Amino acid sequence: DGGITQSPKYLFRKEGQNVTLSCEQNLNHDAMYWYRQDPGQGLRLIYYSQIVNDFQKGDIAEGYSVSREKKESFPLTVTSAQKNPTAFYLCASSSRVHRGNQPQHFGDGTRLSIL
Amino acid sequence: GIQVEQSPPDLILQEGANSTLRCNFSDSVNNLQWFHQNPWGQLINLFYIPSGTKQNGRLSATTVATERYSLLYISSSQTTDSGVYFCAVAYNQGGKLIFGQGTELSVKP
């Protein structure tokens, strides 16, 4: 089945540790996105990528890093510089973006907590 | 930047009732999506509706782009409709979505 797979579903981070969240899609989409959701809030954009080997910061990029070496993969690293990483992280993808008018499809998310 | 406001913030319905959720946005957009987030956190696409009207079963949505609002209608509500409904918009570059704060719907049996 076509879709977006995020792993793991639950992740725990120790103080000072970097962790990487996986996002894979087999929809042949060009654009991929990472969002963060805090309890009772809407989603906020961390990073996005419109094509391979290119990505841009979103509204809350500090303390995060990404790579886009393959079209189907867009991993997110939560670094030790992110002081409040506990949140629900959602990955999304869309077909080639032309003036932002393509619908985004979401994975099932990863819940990250601090030990 | 663009502002997205949803109303009401909370809604409690008896099963079988109808409801209307509203999304106002502060600037022109070229993408508007409605999502349902279930209790497990899954974000389900309901509608991609930058303008016009669409229907899918008991749900329908209307976006009046010139007046900068969108409405989501839920008819004959069921307990499985419970959860949070988000409106999200995109404008100009990159397609990045700006989300509203959501409407939390609770449908009682």
Side-chain angles (χ1 to χ4, degrees):
Chain A
D1 288 343
I4 302 170
T5 301
Q6 290 188 239
S7 62
K9 288 191 181 301
Y10 300 93
L11 187 58
F12 299 92
R13 195 192 88 170
K14 296 179 181 179
E15 292 288 341
Q17 185 182 43
N18 293 352
V19 292
T20 298
L21 284 59
S22 170
C23 179
E24 304 276 332
Q25 55 97 1
N26 59 5
L27 299 169
N28 199 34
H29 284 168
D30 291 294
M32 297 186 75
Y33 310 81
W34 274 106
Y35 294 88
R36 169 181 171 139
Q37 185 179 29
D38 292 287
Q41 303 292 317
L43 282 66
R44 293 180 292 164
L45 182 68
I46 305 172
Y47 268 98
Y48 64 106
S49 167
Q50 297 183 34
I51 56 173
V52 175
N53 293 323
D54 184 60
F55 49 83
Q56 287 82 40
K57 293 182 179 180
D59 300 319
I60 54 167
E62 186 174 351
Y64 300 97
S65 66
V66 293
S67 62
R68 186 85 188 279
E69 297 176 1
K70 298 187 296 182
K71 185 176 183 178
E72 58 271 21
S73 179
F74 191 40
L76 173 74
T77 296
V78 184
T79 74
S80 57
Q82 173 48 246
K83 297 307 180 186
N84 185 23
T86 297
F88 188 45
Y89 292 86
L90 287 147
C91 177
S93 70
S94 66
S95 55
R96 179 170 287 279
V97 175
H98 174 62
R99 298 178 61 194
N101 60 356
Q102 301 300 320
Q104 292 185 24
H105 303 268
F106 283 78
D108 288 345
T110 293
R111 295 191 185 277
L112 175 62
S113 301
I114 291 186
L115 283 178
Chain B
I2 196 168
Q3 303 296 315
V4 181
E5 295 183 356
Q6 291 186 242
S7 60
D10 304 281
L11 187 59
I12 300 175
L13 297 176
Q14 205 65 35
E15 197 168 27
N18 303 329
S19 62
T20 301
L21 282 58
R22 187 177 179 101
C23 173
N24 292 333
F25 43 94
S26 60
D27 206 342
S28 299
V29 300
N30 48 30
N31 179 2
L32 188 145
Q33 290 183 250
W34 281 99
F35 297 92
H36 174 216
Q37 188 167 40
N38 65 23
W40 297 272
Q42 292 174 316
L43 207 60
I44 310 299
N45 275 307
L46 296 177
F47 294 102
Y48 165 66
I49 186 167
S51 63
T53 296
K54 290 185 177 181
Q55 181 157 6
N56 184 4
R58 294 182 296 105
L59 303 180
S60 64
T62 295
T63 297
V64 183
T66 54
E67 297 187 21
R68 299 178 185 170
Y69 73 88
S70 183
L71 301 174
L72 177 68
Y73 305 96
I74 305 173
S75 64
S76 304
S77 58
Q78 301 175 357
T79 56
T80 52
D81 294 332
S82 296
V84 183
Y85 290 80
F86 287 105
C87 166
V89 304
Y91 64 105
N92 58 43
Q93 304 173 24
K96 54 184 180 178
L97 289 173
I98 309 298
F99 280 75
Q101 293 296 298
T103 292
E104 184 164 7
L105 174 65
S106 178
V107 181
K108 303 297 186 185

